[in-house]
Amino acid sequence: MTSRARWGGAVALVLASSPALAEDAGTPKAAASLVDATTVVADLVVDLRYATEDNFLKRKVYPDSARCLLLPESAQRLKKAADALRAKGYRLKVYDCYRPRAVQWEMWKIMPVPGYVANPRTGSNHNRGGAVDLTLTTLEGQEVEMPTPFDTFSPAAHHGYAGGTEASRKHREILREAMEGVGFKRNRMEWWHYDLPDAKKRPVLDVPFPPP
């Protein structure tokens, strides 16, 4: 069961006691408050790919009410990164934020490859609100060139990839410097994926997106 309450721009998702989730969280009751990142980063561009068919699942797994929900600490760090990038002529565009654990199971059925898709038994940092998938855009909202499209499971998506165009590598590094500069940790296999440094300590959640 879940109970939901809304205070201003924040959406509080409180998880009732659940044996499976309690085991993941390491506590008898897992609870977390997730905020809508657009209330913290005013010019954030939102393109939640799992609310569309434009993803590796080739089907929509998020409802129309899906938003970029993050732990407050994730959102505040994202704001700092966005502030630094704005001065350089860029905005942030998010592809995925909080992800219900039920969706993680759907992904695992298709791509059960640790490193690319987290095992839902232990949970993804997306399931904790402690991870964000994102890219850069111009100030007008136009995506800039990156080494690969989002969710490309190949060596070309790795941070150490030396191929592709000079512009794509430059943009990847601008994003990395901004995100690591505010304390996020990069996923070496995905140029778009960044985690809170202590994300693994946060509880795994499987609460649905609240209605709009």
Side-chain angles (χ1 to χ4, degrees), residues 23 30 60 70 98 112 167 181 184 190:
E23 180 179 349
K60 180 178 176 178
L70 293 170
Y98 163 70
F184 280 105
E190 299 175 345

Side-chain angles (χ1 to χ4, degrees), residues 112-148:
V113 182
Y116 287 123
V117 175
N119 190 325
R121 292 178 179 80
T122 53
S124 162
N125 287 338
H126 282 291
N127 306 148
R128 299 174 167 94
V132 61
D133 294 340
L134 75 177
T135 189
L136 297 176
T137 76
T138 64
L139 292 179
E140 294 72 35
Q142 181 67 40
E143 277 195 26
V144 304
E145 184 182 6
M146 287 294 190
T148 72

Side-chain angles (χ1 to χ4, degrees), residues 18-176:
S18 164
L21 292 175
E23 180 179 349
D24 287 342
T27 61
K29 180 182 287 187
S33 295
L34 303 177
V35 301
D36 185 336
T38 62
T39 66
V40 180
V41 185
D43 64 348
L44 186 67
V45 182
V46 179
D47 178 15
L48 297 182
R49 291 295 180 84
Y50 302 118
T52 73
E53 295 181 354
D54 185 15
N55 58 67
F56 79 96
L57 298 166
K58 304 302 181 186
R59 63 189 180 93
K60 180 178 176 178
V61 291
Y62 286 177
D64 291 337
S65 62
R67 284 169 280 165
C68 178
L69 303 180
L70 293 170
L71 292 171
E73 184 180 344
S74 299
Q76 288 299 326
R77 288 178 189 248
L78 198 66
K79 181 183 185 303
K80 292 179 181 178
D83 290 345
L85 286 165
R86 197 177 300 112
K88 297 180 179 180
Y90 298 101
R91 292 165 64 186
L92 288 173
K93 179 176 184 175
V94 291
Y95 294 130
D96 198 24
C97 304
Y98 163 70
R99 179 191 306 155
R101 192 185 189 198
V103 176
Q104 196 70 31
W105 279 106
E106 294 303 309
M107 293 181 173
W108 186 251
K109 292 175 185 176
I110 295 173
M111 181 71 70
V113 182
Y116 287 123
V117 175
N119 190 325
R121 292 178 179 80
T122 53
S124 162
N125 287 338
H126 282 291
N127 306 148
R128 299 174 167 94
V132 61
D133 294 340
L134 75 177
T135 189
L136 297 176
T137 76
T138 64
L139 292 179
E140 294 72 35
Q142 181 67 40
E143 277 195 26
V144 304
E145 184 182 6
M146 287 294 190
T148 72
F150 172 61
D151 264 2
T152 297
F153 300 116
S154 75
H158 296 185
H159 272 277
Y161 178 64
T165 67
E166 182 179 353
S168 69
R169 295 192 301 273
K170 174 187 173 182
H171 294 145
R172 180 187 66 194
E173 288 305 297
I174 290 172
L175 178 61
R176 181 191 62 76

